Every structure is written in C-alpha cells, then in structure tokens.
C-alpha cells in the first residue's frame, strides 16, 4: 500500500499498491457521483482513532485538481467522492472540518464522546462521518460556533504561520496583503490588526472587494486591476513602503509587492492565484537586504507538529476571547455541494464557503 492510500483509514481497496502505481496516486484522480458517498455507511472505531459526526466543513476550489490545502483541492471537481485511478481506492474529499465525536477507540484519551472538535485530516472530511486520529483534533470552546471553528484550520492557520512564524510581524509594522478579499486574505487582515496590532494595506482586484477589506479592518485598500500596486503603496506610505508583504497572486503583483518593501522587509509567498509563478530578482534582495520566504500550511503538520498544534490552539483561544471574527461568505447543505464549488469557481465567494451537514 502506498503512503497516499494509507491516509484513508480503511486502506486501499485493492489490498496493495505497486511502487510504479504509487507514484501516480498524487496526481491521477477521477470524480465519482455523490451517490457513492452513501456506500460507506457507519464506520467502526479502532484503537487510537474514533468516528466523528460532521456538522460543518469548508469548501474551497481555488486550485482544483491539485492535492493541496482545502476540501476542494483534492481533485474533486463537482462530486464528493474521489478515486485513485491507479488502484481504484475511493475516499471522500476534504481535509478540514468541525464536528462532534460520536465514538472513540480504546486507546483514545485526548477527546471524549459528545465533544465538539475541529480537525485536519488530509482526505475524507467531506462526509457525514469519518475516522480521524486523535492527534489531528482540537476541542472547540463552548462559546465558539461550529461554523466559525470550521473556518480556522487552513485560512487562519496559514495566516498565523505567515505573520507570526515566518514574517515575525511586530506591532508597529505595516503589512501589505494581496488577494485581500479571499478567505486567507481576510484572515490575515483579522489577525494582523486584532492580534498583532499592525497596520494593513489590503490589495484586491475590484472596488467591491476593496470595500470588503476596509469593512474587515484594513486601514487602506488598493485596487491593483486599475492602478500600479507599487505606486499606490508608495503614496499611502509616504514613499517608505511596507515592512511585510504576504503575497498570494504571483506574476507582476509579486514583483510589485517585493519592490514595495522597506529596508530589511520580508515577503512571504502564500500562493499563485493569478496562475503565474514569478522569478525573484535576486538583486532586489541584495540591495534592500530583504528576505523572501514561503509558507505552506499543510507541510507543518508533518514537519513541525508542535508548531502546527500551537497555531490551532492559539486560533481557538483568539476566537474564544473574541479577538478574531472569521468571515463566512456562504453556507450550503451537503446535497448542494456542486453549487458550493461552482460558487467558488465563479469567483462569487468572499471569505469561507461552508458545507453544513445539519
């Protein structure tokens, strides 16, 4: 069995994968119909894991076809159940959720039956029930809704790692965030302003989205589809520039953000929503002594779990204390999952799109 198939708790339906086919599993997917989801039925808890009844989970479709972060980012193009074409093993899509513990295995101690939790599973989250390792779960405080909690893992987890761990943001600094009206962009604004006490310039591609980022805490908004991003940032900062840039668009927008940094500024690469992966002019790093780095949320779960867990715990605490306010753009029922993905693909969403099991 390949490591990818082992992520699915029931294992590979073929009983084993050759080394030749295992290499294909991360990129060769096909979509099955929603009806097949019902074939799984009730799951049985095993030692060290437990079954979980979902309440809400998050739907993303900004990188369909790529096995990266977000429920829709695992090759699911319009259905809930995906299959590995190389070995025909099937599994529901989805990697982040909130829900209620239904049963626990004999060695489970971190959570109890009836507790509300959030988690990150890799796959299998987009179902009515699934089996999850207890280490991938965090308890939801009583005064935090399941909907708000479902927003936290990917968007706010990425934002926290980008601002706190990578950029080392300080209270007096100014942050530029591109794709500011997206779920992660809004999370960055929320954390930077409410937790890190920094000033935010948010960039977006339309006037309505610019209005949205202002309503959610940004000090200034820049529409980079109309004017030069670098010139607008320079005007807003008196020619000084920004201390930190969190960049998610790529292409020329990345280069403009890089050129907008102050002496010893930091730019954090978060993605390439514009479709173009930029080349970094190394001379700019030299002349201004700036740092360019990346942040990939999912990798921390494997490479530095204590930090990953600390981020989740901190975010739940911020939410409990009322310091952050996750934005939910739309809520769809489970049977409306195709409409949810289309809503995101058609760029109608602002903030998170939630799929509710209620």
């Amino acid at each position: 069995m390949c490591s990818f198939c082992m992520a699915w708790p029931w294992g590979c339906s073929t009983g084993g994968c050759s080394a030749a086919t295992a290499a294909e599993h991360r990129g060769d997917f096909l979509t099955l119909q929603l009806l097949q989801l019902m074939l799984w039925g009730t799951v049985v808890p095993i030692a060290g894991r437990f079954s979980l009844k979902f309440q809400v989970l998050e739907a993303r479709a900004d990188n369909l076809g790529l096995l990266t972060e977000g429920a829709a980012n695992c090759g699911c193009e319009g259905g809930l159940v995906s299959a590995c074409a190389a070995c025909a093993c099937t599994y529901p899509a989805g990697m982040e959720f909130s829900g209620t513990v239904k049963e626990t295995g004999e060695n489970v101690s971190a959570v109890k039956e009836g507790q509300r939790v959030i988690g990150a599973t890799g796959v299998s989250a987009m179902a009515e029930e699934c089996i999850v390792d207890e280490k991938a779960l965090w308890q939801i405080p009583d005064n935090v809704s399941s909907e708000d909690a479902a927003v936290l893992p990917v968007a706010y987890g990425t934002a926290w790692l980008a601002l706190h761990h990578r950029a080392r943001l300080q209270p007096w600094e100014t942050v530029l965030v591109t794709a500011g009206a997206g779920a992660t962009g809004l999370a960055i604004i929320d954390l930077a302003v409410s937790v890190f006490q920094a000033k935010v310039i948010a960039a977006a591609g339309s006037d309505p989205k610019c209005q949205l980022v202002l309503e959610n805490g940004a000090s200034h908004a820049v529409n980079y589809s109309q004017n030069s991003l670098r010139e607008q940032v320079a005007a807003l900062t008196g020619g000084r520039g920004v201390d930190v840039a969190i960049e998610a668009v790529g292409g020329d927008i990345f280069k403009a953000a890089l050129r907008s940094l102050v002496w010893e500024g930091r730019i954090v690469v978060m993605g390439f929503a514009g479709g173009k992966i930029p080349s970094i002019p190394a001379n700019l790093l030299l002349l201004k002594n700036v740092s360019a780095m990346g942040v990939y949320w999912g990798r921390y779960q494997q490479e530095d779990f204590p930090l990953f867990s600390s981020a989740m715990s901190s975010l739940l605490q911020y939410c409990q204390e009322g310091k952050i306010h996750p934005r939910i753009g739309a809520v769809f029922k489970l049977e409306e999952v195709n409409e949810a993905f289309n809503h995101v693909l058609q760029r109608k969403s602002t903030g998170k799109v939630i799929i509710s099991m209620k």
Side-chain angles (χ1 to χ4, degrees), residues 306-319:
L307 178 65
F308 184 89
S309 184
S310 176
M312 300 291 282
S313 298
S314 295
L315 294 169
L316 285 166
Q317 182 178 346
Y318 298 151
C319 215

Side-chain angles (χ1 to χ4, degrees), residues 4-66:
F4 178 64
C5 289
M6 289 177 65
W8 179 240
W10 289 275
C12 175
S13 62
T14 62
C17 305
S18 69
T21 59
E24 301 173 14
H25 289 186
R26 292 190 177 272
D28 195 1
F29 300 97
L30 57 93
T31 302
L32 305 182
Q33 296 301 314
L34 175 60
L35 180 63
Q36 291 187 257
L37 177 64
M38 308 311 296
L39 297 177
W40 291 113
T42 303
V43 298
V44 179
I46 57 178
R49 297 185 179 186
F50 61 90
S51 63
L52 181 79
K53 185 174 180 62
F54 289 124
Q55 292 176 336
V56 292
L57 51 93
E58 175 258 343
R60 289 174 57 116
D62 52 352
N63 284 309
L64 282 175
L66 299 177

Side-chain angles (χ1 to χ4, degrees), residues 19 50 61 72 75 147 151 162 164 196-197 208 254 299:
F50 61 90
E147 288 78 9
V151 175
H164 174 74
F196 295 96
Q197 304 295 306
F254 169 85
R299 189 70 181 270

Side-chain angles (χ1 to χ4, degrees), residues 232-253:
Q232 292 182 81
V233 170
L236 290 170
T237 59
R240 177 179 179 272
V242 295
D243 302 281
V244 172
I246 311 295
E247 214 292 293
V249 178
D252 292 338
I253 298 300

Side-chain angles (χ1 to χ4, degrees), residues 39-248:
L39 297 177
W40 291 113
T42 303
V43 298
V44 179
I46 57 178
R49 297 185 179 186
F50 61 90
S51 63
L52 181 79
K53 185 174 180 62
F54 289 124
Q55 292 176 336
V56 292
L57 51 93
E58 175 258 343
R60 289 174 57 116
D62 52 352
N63 284 309
L64 282 175
L66 299 177
L67 186 67
T68 56
E69 52 197 51
N73 289 348
C74 50
C76 178
E77 299 188 16
L80 277 183
V81 182
S82 295
C84 176
C87 69
C89 57
T90 57
Y91 52 89
M95 69 176 301
E96 61 178 329
F97 59 84
S98 69
T100 301
V101 177
K102 184 178 180 181
E103 297 177 273
T104 62
E106 60 183 20
N107 295 328
V108 172
S109 59
V111 294
K112 298 178 180 180
E113 180 180 338
Q115 287 183 336
R116 294 186 308 132
V117 294
I118 59 171
T121 60
V123 294
S124 77
M126 201 168 288
E128 291 177 318
E129 296 180 7
C130 83
I131 295 177
V132 185
D133 192 296
E134 63 178 333
K135 294 179 180 179
L137 297 163
W138 293 263
Q139 187 174 354
I140 302 173
D142 291 339
N143 64 335
V144 177
S145 71
S146 295
E147 288 78 9
D148 283 351
V151 175
L152 297 179
V154 174
Y156 274 81
T158 299
W160 188 91
L161 287 167
L163 295 171
H164 174 74
H165 181 64
R166 301 299 281 153
R168 307 286 183 181
L169 182 64
Q170 301 300 313
W172 60 84
E173 294 184 316
T174 299
V175 182
L176 169 65
V177 54
T178 61
T184 306
L186 291 172
I188 289 169
I189 295 170
D190 196 7
L191 281 171
V193 173
S194 303
V195 175
F196 295 96
Q197 304 295 306
K199 181 179 179 180
V200 176
I201 299 174
S206 70
D207 288 338
K209 289 183 177 181
C210 285
Q211 182 60 37
L212 175 65
V213 299
L214 292 172
E215 293 171 357
N216 282 268
S219 298
H220 302 284
V222 171
N223 185 341
Y224 47 60
S225 69
Q226 295 181 352
N227 300 294
S228 165
L229 174 62
R230 185 185 180 190
E231 291 178 1
Q232 292 182 81
V233 170
L236 290 170
T237 59
R240 177 179 179 272
V242 295
D243 302 281
V244 172
I246 311 295
E247 214 292 293

